[in-house]
Amino acid sequence: MSKDHRVPPADVSRIWGGRFDAGPAAIMESINVSIDFDARLIEQDIAASQAHAAMLAQQGIISQADAQAILGGLEHVLEEVKGGRLSFSRTLEDVHMNVEGRLAELIGEAAGRLHTARSRNDQVATDFRLWVRDAIDALDRAARDLQAALIGRAEEHASTVMPGFTHLQAAQPVTLGHHLLAYVEMLGRDRGRLSDCRARLNESPLGAAALAGTSFPIDRRATAAALGFDRPCANSLDAVSDRDFALEFLSAGAIMAIHLSRLGEEIVIWTCERFGFLRLADAFSTGSSIMPQKRNPDAAELTRAKAGRVVGALVGLLTVMKGLPLAYAKDMQEDKEPVFEAFDTLSLCLAAMQGMIATATADPGRMRAAAEEGFADATDLADWLVRIKGLPFRRAHHVTGALVKAAEASGCSLAALPLDSMQAIEPAIDEGVFAVLGCDASVASRTSEGGTAPARVRLAAAEARRRFLAP
């Protein structure tokens, strides 16, 4: 036998070693190996292999005996995985070959028939879609739990008056319940984006093989159905090279992380001594190593900070994918770690936020006192001048500004400004104005759909339960 046809030595990779005379350099193994992170796909890999083996036997591509041996062996491997008894080899590069390697140890030569009519390209694309689908379902449940906590606290505080802010300046009084329900809506959109992503990713790449399909008489619809996909991917090139589903998952995750960060920021503000609107439970607070009086909202701060990880994961994968020609390239091995990290980060932050919201204690007195500062009922006065006295809004706005200036000079609220002082600025004002001044009157008047009136908040909370929490 000539040198060109010698079987490579044992240390050459047995995955693809027939083409090579020597094994990879140590640094090549280090940059190429993925088992250190793609081991997370192992249950999905086994499920896809089981569907593939059953289909091969159904189509007469492998014998029923080999299929039964493969399926039984894969079930044994899955039991080892769940029992924490399976060890991985970096020499076998990835999760797929580690599963196949262990299968060969269990059932012998029949294991080599499992890879008939597929490639690691369609195999990993299938596994990854299955994993992301499971991740979406888990995040949806966690987001729903946070919504449930927010809705519960919103119902509790439907009438709790607090300042509403624009530019972080007191703007108009709202209720705490109304404020919390805003985050319920954000999370609802987050769940909707994840649901949309799930619907689009639910096509099976299995059977696309390396890039061009296969000459074996496979049944791609059978494997798609067995794995819970809606249909096979329509184009084999697209099937193995598409990572839109990962990008869309990260896009939805990045927006969710920003929403959690915004809520985290508000908790940081509300718990500081200058505001004092909220007190976190001891279970979600930390102390200082030097200042014994401190109660730090570290969980909220870390939730705020961790948004950067998820946004960074999205930007990183966008950069990986931006210039890749069809079809598969090894660059795509870099797709999994950012997705895994984003999922872990979001799961942690959702759980932490749910715990903070469910156990925090509000201080209605501090909230009301803050709402009564800063002339937050000025808009109500302007609206009264338009609605009752018929002033054009721009004129009413100017008059109200002058009344605020007068109250500020007198060191009193608008409600405490004497009627004659008001009439000196606008003679049309009468004692009826006092019915709309003050936080309670202001909040109660906001009865438009989606408004902050307590009755509206209770209705909105009930509707949110129906929309987001109903089975």
Side-chain angles (χ1 to χ4, degrees):
M1 186 180 293
S2 70
K3 180 179 178 181
D4 289 342
H5 294 88
R6 282 205 306 264
V7 175
D11 63 345
V12 176
S13 172
R14 56 194 168 111
I15 307 170
W16 38 258
R19 174 66 177 80
F20 296 83
D21 289 324
I27 194 66
M28 180 61 199
E29 178 180 284
S30 295
I31 197 172
N32 191 54
V33 72
S34 61
I35 188 60
D36 298 337
F37 54 85
D38 70 14
R40 289 183 72 157
L41 300 175
I42 193 162
E43 292 192 28
Q44 289 79 16
D45 190 73
I46 291 171
S49 290
Q50 288 171 325
H52 185 66
M55 180 275 296
L56 291 176
Q58 175 188 310
Q59 296 298 105
I61 299 170
I62 66 174
S63 70
Q64 288 291 340
D66 283 342
Q68 290 305 312
I70 290 169
L71 292 171
L74 288 170
E75 195 61 37
H76 185 89
V77 176
L78 181 59
E79 290 172 4
E80 291 182 334
V81 170
K82 292 180 176 179
R85 302 189 306 276
L86 185 68
S87 59
F88 298 107
S89 168
R90 299 183 96 241
T91 303
L92 296 177
E93 293 186 11
D94 58 31
V95 65
H96 322 298
M97 295 314 302
N98 269 268
V99 170
E100 189 174 322
R102 178 57 180 145
L103 185 64
E105 292 174 351
L106 292 169
I107 69 171
E109 190 174 276
R113 301 190 187 281
L114 174 59
H115 207 53
T116 306
R118 75 175 183 185
S119 162
R120 282 190 294 172
N121 293 356
D122 62 332
Q123 190 177 359
V124 70
T126 303
D127 295 354
F128 199 20
R129 283 181 187 241
L130 290 171
W131 191 94
V132 171
R133 194 174 70 184
D134 291 343
I136 286 171
D137 292 345
L139 288 181
D140 182 74
R141 289 190 295 270
R144 183 187 183 280
D145 289 344
L146 177 52
Q147 284 182 302
L150 287 163
I151 292 169
R153 301 313 299 269
E155 290 169 333
E156 179 185 348
H157 290 285
S159 301
T160 300
V161 174
M162 66 174 289
F165 297 95
T166 62
H167 308 278
L168 205 56
Q169 307 294 314
Q172 293 176 257
V174 296
T175 69
L176 176 57
H178 188 60
H179 197 120
L180 294 177
L181 287 177
Y183 286 98
V184 173
E185 295 300 318
M186 293 183 204
L187 288 162
R189 293 192 295 274
D190 292 330
R191 292 177 65 191
R193 277 182 282 269
L194 288 171
S195 178
D196 291 344
C197 175
R198 194 189 195 284
R200 267 185 289 277
L201 74 77
N202 209 37
E203 297 181 347
S204 174
L206 196 57
L211 74 162
T214 177
S215 58
F216 289 97
I218 62 172
D219 184 348
R220 293 190 63 209
R221 293 192 176 274
T223 52
L227 294 169
F229 288 114
D230 295 328
R231 64 191 69 83
C233 295
N235 182 282
S236 60
L237 286 166
D238 181 56
V240 298
S241 64
D242 168 48
R243 293 298 183 271
D244 288 2
F245 64 93
L247 292 169
E248 191 170 357
F249 173 77
L250 290 174
S251 297
I255 296 172
M256 176 183 281
I258 288 169
H259 290 158
L260 294 174
S261 177
R262 294 181 73 179
L263 181 53
E265 168 70 3
E266 300 220 85
I267 290 173
V268 171
I269 292 171
W270 292 351
T271 55
C272 76
E273 290 85 350
R274 297 295 179 268
F275 278 72
F277 292 176
L278 206 65
R279 181 182 177 90
L280 291 180
D282 289 354
F284 290 94
S285 302
T286 62
S288 166
S289 64
I290 190 173
M291 296 169 285
Q293 82 280 11
K294 295 295 292 298
R295 289 178 61 86
N296 297 327
D298 283 3
E301 292 173 351
L302 288 166
T303 298
R304 182 177 61 185
K306 286 179 183 294
R309 288 178 177 265
V310 185
V311 173
L314 170 60
V315 173
L317 187 54
L318 284 168
T319 306
V320 167
M321 296 301 298
K322 69 174 182 61
L324 295 186
L326 296 179
Y328 181 81
K330 199 59 177 275
D331 309 54
M332 294 183 194
Q333 184 167 289
E334 296 297 307
D335 59 357
K336 293 164 202 66
E337 289 179 284
V339 170
F340 294 160
E341 182 178 19
F343 170 74
D344 292 345
T345 300
L346 288 167
S347 298
L348 179 61
C349 291
L350 284 165
M353 191 59 72
Q354 191 272 337
M356 284 187 279
I357 293 296
T359 60
T361 302
D363 188 333
R366 291 289 293 268
M367 289 184 177
R368 174 177 289 277
E372 289 172 348
E373 297 174 354
F375 308 103
D377 52 357
T379 305
D380 300 278
L381 174 52
D383 288 348
W384 182 84
L385 289 168
V386 172
R387 190 175 63 252
I388 303 301
K389 296 302 178 181
L391 272 65
F393 181 77
R394 290 302 175 198
R395 167 70 180 157
H397 187 286
H398 180 81
V399 168
T400 302
L403 290 168
V404 167
K405 185 176 180 181
E408 193 171 42
S410 299
C412 68
S413 67
L414 284 170
L417 194 65
L419 179 60
D420 58 356
S421 298
M422 293 187 184
Q423 291 173 331
I425 294 171
E426 174 50 63
I429 296 175
D430 58 35
E431 50 279 328
V433 72
F434 295 105
V436 301
L437 296 179
C439 289
D440 289 321
S442 175
V443 165
S445 72
R446 305 296 171 182
T447 56
S448 58
E449 186 171 353
T452 194
R456 276 291 183 186
V457 173
R458 293 186 184 95
L459 286 173
E463 177 64 10
R465 281 194 178 279
R466 185 193 66 78
R467 289 163 58 206
F468 299 123
L469 306 184

